[in-house]
Amino acid sequence: DQQVKQNSPSLSVQEGRISILNCDYTNSMFDYFLWYKKYPAEGPTFLISISSIKDKNEDGRFTVFLNKSAKHLSLHIVPSQPGDSAVYFCAAGDQGAQKLVFGQGTRLTINP
Amino acid sequence: ETGVTQTPRHLVMGMTNKKSLKCEQHLGHNAMYWYKQSAKKPLELMFVYNFKEQTENNSVPSRFSPECPNSSHLFLHLHTLQPEDSALYLCASSQVASGVYEQYFGPGTRLTVT
């Protein structure tokens, strides 16, 4: 039973446009959500996070939105740049239990 | 050295071999983790160590044996592995505190079992 799902294995976006990556979760106990970015031959790099008491968190070009009623979060990247091409993972955590549950990842390709 | 380092980066071993993966964190964190990433699967948590004590073993087979001698170092001892154990093994660390969830990852060890 996959508690965190990223239903799009890949996404292709033109440089300068907005990239929207989506993530759904099933466990209502999750209270913290994170996005990680992974380049080939490197470990995942923490990007941005949001707690369940908020519905939006912004950091530069990156914004994460949380819709608790729909159990859905999304990552918006605007404007998209070629260096954003990577695999993006969403993850969810439960009350500081340290058990992060990860989605399968979405491969984002930014086309010049 | 900064961040989280892992050695070796690549490892090929036979099913009868014994080998160890090493992880070191330079972030002053007090918790460390082992994850497994198989092809086309999500990252799977294997073990969690808080202040050198194992607090989580996510039903991992005994052919994987973790060791955490101090809060900066973490090992994963491997013996009599199976070909399906071939995967990317990632180490992570975090600072355990109220409301803090961010984990920081090393580059991983790509393991191939022949």
Short mmCIF file of all heavy atoms in Angstrom, two decimals, chain A residues 39-80:
data_model
loop_
_atom_site.label_atom_id
_atom_site.label_comp_id
_atom_site.label_asym_id
_atom_site.label_seq_id
_atom_site.Cartn_x
_atom_site.Cartn_y
_atom_site.Cartn_z
N TYR A 39 19.73 14.70 -8.68
CA TYR A 39 20.46 14.59 -9.94
C TYR A 39 21.07 13.19 -10.03
O TYR A 39 21.28 12.53 -9.00
CB TYR A 39 21.59 15.61 -9.99
CG TYR A 39 21.15 17.05 -10.08
CD1 TYR A 39 21.49 17.97 -9.09
CD2 TYR A 39 20.40 17.51 -11.16
CE1 TYR A 39 21.11 19.29 -9.17
CE2 TYR A 39 20.01 18.84 -11.25
CZ TYR A 39 20.36 19.72 -10.25
OH TYR A 39 19.97 21.03 -10.34
N PRO A 40 21.36 12.72 -11.24
CA PRO A 40 22.01 11.41 -11.39
C PRO A 40 23.31 11.35 -10.60
O PRO A 40 24.03 12.33 -10.51
CB PRO A 40 22.28 11.32 -12.90
CG PRO A 40 21.29 12.24 -13.52
CD PRO A 40 21.08 13.35 -12.56
N ALA A 41 23.59 10.22 -10.01
CA ALA A 41 24.82 9.96 -9.26
C ALA A 41 24.96 10.84 -8.02
O ALA A 41 26.07 10.98 -7.48
CB ALA A 41 26.05 10.11 -10.15
N GLU A 42 23.88 11.45 -7.57
CA GLU A 42 23.91 12.21 -6.32
C GLU A 42 22.76 11.76 -5.44
O GLU A 42 21.78 11.18 -5.91
CB GLU A 42 23.78 13.70 -6.59
CG GLU A 42 24.95 14.30 -7.35
CD GLU A 42 24.79 15.81 -7.52
OE1 GLU A 42 23.94 16.42 -6.83
OE2 GLU A 42 25.52 16.37 -8.35
N GLY A 43 22.86 12.05 -4.14
CA GLY A 43 21.75 11.77 -3.26
C GLY A 43 20.68 12.84 -3.38
O GLY A 43 20.92 13.91 -3.93
N PRO A 44 19.47 12.57 -2.88
CA PRO A 44 18.41 13.59 -2.91
C PRO A 44 18.83 14.82 -2.11
O PRO A 44 19.45 14.70 -1.05
CB PRO A 44 17.23 12.88 -2.24
CG PRO A 44 17.52 11.43 -2.36
CD PRO A 44 19.01 11.30 -2.31
N THR A 45 18.47 15.98 -2.61
CA THR A 45 18.76 17.25 -1.95
C THR A 45 17.45 17.88 -1.49
O THR A 45 16.52 18.03 -2.28
CB THR A 45 19.46 18.22 -2.92
OG1 THR A 45 20.65 17.61 -3.40
CG2 THR A 45 19.81 19.53 -2.24
N PHE A 46 17.39 18.26 -0.21
CA PHE A 46 16.19 18.88 0.32
C PHE A 46 15.92 20.21 -0.39
O PHE A 46 16.83 21.03 -0.59
CB PHE A 46 16.35 19.11 1.83
CG PHE A 46 15.28 19.97 2.41
CD1 PHE A 46 13.98 19.50 2.52
CD2 PHE A 46 15.56 21.26 2.83
CE1 PHE A 46 12.98 20.30 3.05
CE2 PHE A 46 14.56 22.06 3.36
CZ PHE A 46 13.28 21.59 3.47
N LEU A 47 14.67 20.41 -0.76
CA LEU A 47 14.30 21.60 -1.54
C LEU A 47 13.41 22.55 -0.73
O LEU A 47 13.74 23.70 -0.52
CB LEU A 47 13.56 21.14 -2.79
CG LEU A 47 13.48 22.03 -4.01
CD1 LEU A 47 14.85 22.46 -4.46
CD2 LEU A 47 12.77 21.26 -5.14
N ILE A 48 12.28 22.07 -0.28
CA ILE A 48 11.31 22.90 0.40
C ILE A 48 10.36 22.01 1.17
O ILE A 48 10.18 20.84 0.82
CB ILE A 48 10.54 23.80 -0.62
CG1 ILE A 48 9.73 24.88 0.08
CG2 ILE A 48 9.66 22.95 -1.54
CD1 ILE A 48 9.17 25.94 -0.88
N SER A 49 9.76 22.56 2.23
CA SER A 49 8.85 21.76 3.04
C SER A 49 7.64 22.59 3.44
O SER A 49 7.61 23.82 3.27
CB SER A 49 9.57 21.23 4.28
OG SER A 49 10.02 22.31 5.09
N ILE A 50 6.64 21.92 3.99
CA ILE A 50 5.45 22.60 4.47
C ILE A 50 4.83 21.76 5.59
O ILE A 50 4.82 20.53 5.50
CB ILE A 50 4.44 22.84 3.33
CG1 ILE A 50 3.27 23.71 3.81
CG2 ILE A 50 3.92 21.52 2.75
CD1 ILE A 50 2.41 24.23 2.66
N SER A 51 4.38 22.43 6.63
CA SER A 51 3.69 21.70 7.69
C SER A 51 2.19 21.77 7.45
O SER A 51 1.70 22.61 6.68
CB SER A 51 4.03 22.28 9.06
OG SER A 51 3.27 23.44 9.31
N SER A 52 1.46 20.90 8.11
CA SER A 52 0.03 20.79 7.84
C SER A 52 -0.77 21.98 8.35
O SER A 52 -1.96 22.10 8.05
CB SER A 52 -0.52 19.50 8.44
OG SER A 52 -0.30 19.48 9.84
N ILE A 53 -0.13 22.86 9.11
CA ILE A 53 -0.86 24.04 9.59
C ILE A 53 -0.87 25.15 8.53
O ILE A 53 -1.53 26.17 8.72
CB ILE A 53 -0.28 24.58 10.91
CG1 ILE A 53 1.17 25.02 10.73
CG2 ILE A 53 -0.39 23.53 12.01
CD1 ILE A 53 1.74 25.72 11.95
N LYS A 54 -0.12 24.94 7.46
CA LYS A 54 -0.07 25.94 6.39
C LYS A 54 -0.66 25.34 5.12
O LYS A 54 -0.78 24.11 4.98
CB LYS A 54 1.37 26.36 6.11
CG LYS A 54 2.04 27.10 7.25
CD LYS A 54 3.42 27.57 6.82
CE LYS A 54 4.07 28.42 7.88
NZ LYS A 54 5.40 28.89 7.45
N ASP A 55 -0.99 26.20 4.17
CA ASP A 55 -1.40 25.68 2.86
C ASP A 55 -0.47 26.15 1.74
O ASP A 55 -0.64 25.74 0.59
CB ASP A 55 -2.85 26.05 2.55
CG ASP A 55 -3.11 27.55 2.68
OD1 ASP A 55 -2.14 28.33 2.65
OD2 ASP A 55 -4.29 27.94 2.79
N LYS A 56 0.52 26.95 2.10
CA LYS A 56 1.45 27.43 1.08
C LYS A 56 2.77 27.79 1.74
O LYS A 56 2.81 28.36 2.83
CB LYS A 56 0.84 28.66 0.39
CG LYS A 56 1.72 29.32 -0.65
CD LYS A 56 1.03 30.56 -1.21
CE LYS A 56 1.94 31.32 -2.15
NZ LYS A 56 1.28 32.55 -2.67
N ASN A 57 3.85 27.46 1.05
CA ASN A 57 5.17 27.91 1.49
C ASN A 57 5.99 28.23 0.25
O ASN A 57 5.98 27.47 -0.72
CB ASN A 57 5.87 26.82 2.32
CG ASN A 57 7.15 27.33 2.96
OD1 ASN A 57 7.30 28.53 3.20
ND2 ASN A 57 8.08 26.43 3.25
N GLU A 58 6.67 29.36 0.32
CA GLU A 58 7.37 29.86 -0.86
C GLU A 58 8.84 30.08 -0.56
O GLU A 58 9.20 30.57 0.51
CB GLU A 58 6.71 31.19 -1.28
CG GLU A 58 7.06 31.69 -2.64
CD GLU A 58 6.19 32.89 -3.02
OE1 GLU A 58 5.21 33.18 -2.32
OE2 GLU A 58 6.51 33.54 -4.03
N ASP A 59 9.69 29.73 -1.50
CA ASP A 59 11.11 29.96 -1.35
C ASP A 59 11.69 30.25 -2.73
O ASP A 59 11.98 29.33 -3.50
CB ASP A 59 11.80 28.75 -0.72
CG ASP A 59 13.28 28.99 -0.46
OD1 ASP A 59 13.79 30.09 -0.76
OD2 ASP A 59 13.96 28.06 0.03
N GLY A 60 11.81 31.53 -3.04
CA GLY A 60 12.33 31.90 -4.35
C GLY A 60 11.42 31.44 -5.46
O GLY A 60 10.23 31.75 -5.49
N ARG A 61 11.98 30.66 -6.39
CA ARG A 61 11.19 30.19 -7.52
C ARG A 61 10.30 28.99 -7.17
O ARG A 61 9.51 28.54 -8.01
CB ARG A 61 12.13 29.78 -8.66
CG ARG A 61 12.94 30.92 -9.24
CD ARG A 61 13.76 30.48 -10.46
NE ARG A 61 14.74 29.45 -10.13
CZ ARG A 61 14.69 28.21 -10.60
NH1 ARG A 61 13.70 27.83 -11.40
NH2 ARG A 61 15.62 27.34 -10.26
N PHE A 62 10.44 28.49 -5.98
CA PHE A 62 9.74 27.26 -5.58
C PHE A 62 8.62 27.57 -4.59
O PHE A 62 8.83 28.28 -3.60
CB PHE A 62 10.72 26.27 -4.94
CG PHE A 62 11.86 25.90 -5.83
CD1 PHE A 62 13.05 26.62 -5.82
CD2 PHE A 62 11.74 24.83 -6.71
CE1 PHE A 62 14.10 26.28 -6.66
CE2 PHE A 62 12.80 24.49 -7.56
CZ PHE A 62 13.97 25.21 -7.53
N THR A 63 7.44 27.03 -4.88
CA THR A 63 6.29 27.18 -3.99
C THR A 63 5.63 25.82 -3.82
O THR A 63 5.40 25.12 -4.82
CB THR A 63 5.26 28.17 -4.55
OG1 THR A 63 5.89 29.43 -4.78
CG2 THR A 63 4.11 28.37 -3.56
N VAL A 64 5.35 25.46 -2.58
CA VAL A 64 4.63 24.22 -2.33
C VAL A 64 3.25 24.57 -1.81
O VAL A 64 3.09 25.46 -0.97
CB VAL A 64 5.41 23.30 -1.35
CG1 VAL A 64 5.72 23.98 -0.05
CG2 VAL A 64 4.64 22.01 -1.11
N PHE A 65 2.25 23.90 -2.36
CA PHE A 65 0.86 24.08 -1.95
C PHE A 65 0.36 22.78 -1.33
O PHE A 65 0.63 21.70 -1.85
CB PHE A 65 -0.02 24.43 -3.17
CG PHE A 65 0.30 25.74 -3.80
CD1 PHE A 65 1.21 25.82 -4.85
CD2 PHE A 65 -0.32 26.90 -3.36
CE1 PHE A 65 1.50 27.04 -5.44
CE2 PHE A 65 -0.03 28.12 -3.95
CZ PHE A 65 0.88 28.19 -4.99
N LEU A 66 -0.40 22.92 -0.25
CA LEU A 66 -0.96 21.76 0.42
C LEU A 66 -2.48 21.89 0.51
O LEU A 66 -2.99 22.90 0.99
CB LEU A 66 -0.37 21.62 1.83
CG LEU A 66 -0.94 20.51 2.70
CD1 LEU A 66 -0.66 19.14 2.09
CD2 LEU A 66 -0.36 20.57 4.12
N ASN A 67 -3.17 20.87 0.03
CA ASN A 67 -4.62 20.81 0.13
C ASN A 67 -4.95 19.59 1.00
O ASN A 67 -4.98 18.46 0.53
CB ASN A 67 -5.24 20.66 -1.27
CG ASN A 67 -6.77 20.63 -1.22
OD1 ASN A 67 -7.36 20.24 -0.22
ND2 ASN A 67 -7.38 21.04 -2.31
N LYS A 68 -5.17 19.86 2.29
CA LYS A 68 -5.34 18.76 3.24
C LYS A 68 -6.62 17.98 2.99
O LYS A 68 -6.65 16.75 3.14
CB LYS A 68 -5.33 19.30 4.68
CG LYS A 68 -3.97 19.75 5.14
CD LYS A 68 -3.98 20.16 6.60
CE LYS A 68 -4.72 21.45 6.84
NZ LYS A 68 -4.05 22.62 6.22
N SER A 69 -7.67 18.65 2.59
CA SER A 69 -8.94 17.95 2.37
C SER A 69 -8.82 16.97 1.21
O SER A 69 -9.42 15.90 1.22
CB SER A 69 -10.08 18.94 2.14
OG SER A 69 -9.81 19.73 1.00
N ALA A 70 -8.03 17.34 0.22
CA ALA A 70 -7.82 16.46 -0.94
C ALA A 70 -6.62 15.53 -0.75
O ALA A 70 -6.36 14.69 -1.61
CB ALA A 70 -7.65 17.29 -2.21
N LYS A 71 -5.88 15.73 0.33
CA LYS A 71 -4.64 14.98 0.57
C LYS A 71 -3.73 15.07 -0.66
O LYS A 71 -3.27 14.06 -1.23
CB LYS A 71 -4.92 13.51 0.92
CG LYS A 71 -5.66 13.33 2.24
CD LYS A 71 -5.68 11.86 2.64
CE LYS A 71 -6.33 11.65 3.99
NZ LYS A 71 -7.77 11.94 3.98
N HIS A 72 -3.46 16.30 -1.02
CA HIS A 72 -2.72 16.58 -2.24
C HIS A 72 -1.76 17.73 -2.00
O HIS A 72 -2.10 18.72 -1.36
CB HIS A 72 -3.70 16.94 -3.37
CG HIS A 72 -3.03 17.31 -4.65
ND1 HIS A 72 -2.63 16.37 -5.56
CD2 HIS A 72 -2.69 18.51 -5.16
CE1 HIS A 72 -2.05 16.97 -6.59
NE2 HIS A 72 -2.09 18.27 -6.38
N LEU A 73 -0.54 17.56 -2.51
CA LEU A 73 0.37 18.69 -2.51
C LEU A 73 1.01 18.84 -3.88
O LEU A 73 1.05 17.87 -4.66
CB LEU A 73 1.43 18.59 -1.41
CG LEU A 73 2.50 17.51 -1.44
CD1 LEU A 73 3.72 17.98 -0.68
CD2 LEU A 73 1.98 16.25 -0.82
N SER A 74 1.46 20.04 -4.14
CA SER A 74 2.08 20.29 -5.43
C SER A 74 3.27 21.22 -5.24
O SER A 74 3.32 22.00 -4.29
CB SER A 74 1.08 20.89 -6.42
OG SER A 74 0.58 22.12 -5.95
N LEU A 75 4.21 21.09 -6.15
CA LEU A 75 5.39 21.94 -6.18
C LEU A 75 5.35 22.73 -7.48
O LEU A 75 5.25 22.15 -8.56
CB LEU A 75 6.67 21.11 -6.12
CG LEU A 75 7.98 21.87 -6.27
CD1 LEU A 75 8.22 22.76 -5.06
CD2 LEU A 75 9.15 20.90 -6.46
N HIS A 76 5.41 24.06 -7.36
CA HIS A 76 5.44 24.93 -8.51
C HIS A 76 6.83 25.53 -8.65
O HIS A 76 7.38 26.06 -7.65
CB HIS A 76 4.41 26.05 -8.37
CG HIS A 76 3.00 25.57 -8.42
ND1 HIS A 76 1.98 26.34 -8.94
CD2 HIS A 76 2.44 24.40 -8.05
CE1 HIS A 76 0.84 25.67 -8.86
NE2 HIS A 76 1.09 24.49 -8.32
N ILE A 77 7.37 25.47 -9.84
CA ILE A 77 8.67 26.07 -10.12
C ILE A 77 8.45 27.09 -11.23
O ILE A 77 8.01 26.74 -12.33
CB ILE A 77 9.69 25.02 -10.59
CG1 ILE A 77 9.78 23.87 -9.59
CG2 ILE A 77 11.06 25.67 -10.77
CD1 ILE A 77 10.64 22.70 -10.09
N VAL A 78 8.75 28.37 -10.89
CA VAL A 78 8.53 29.38 -11.93
C VAL A 78 9.53 30.52 -11.76
O VAL A 78 9.70 31.02 -10.64
CB VAL A 78 7.08 29.90 -11.90
CG1 VAL A 78 6.70 30.40 -10.52
CG2 VAL A 78 6.82 30.97 -12.92
N PRO A 79 10.23 30.94 -12.81
CA PRO A 79 10.25 30.28 -14.11
C PRO A 79 11.16 29.06 -14.09
O PRO A 79 12.14 29.01 -13.35
CB PRO A 79 10.85 31.37 -15.01
CG PRO A 79 11.76 32.13 -14.10
CD PRO A 79 11.10 32.13 -12.74
N SER A 80 10.85 28.07 -14.89
CA SER A 80 11.66 26.85 -14.96
C SER A 80 12.96 27.13 -15.70
O SER A 80 12.98 27.88 -16.69
CB SER A 80 10.90 25.75 -15.69
OG SER A 80 9.69 25.46 -15.02
#
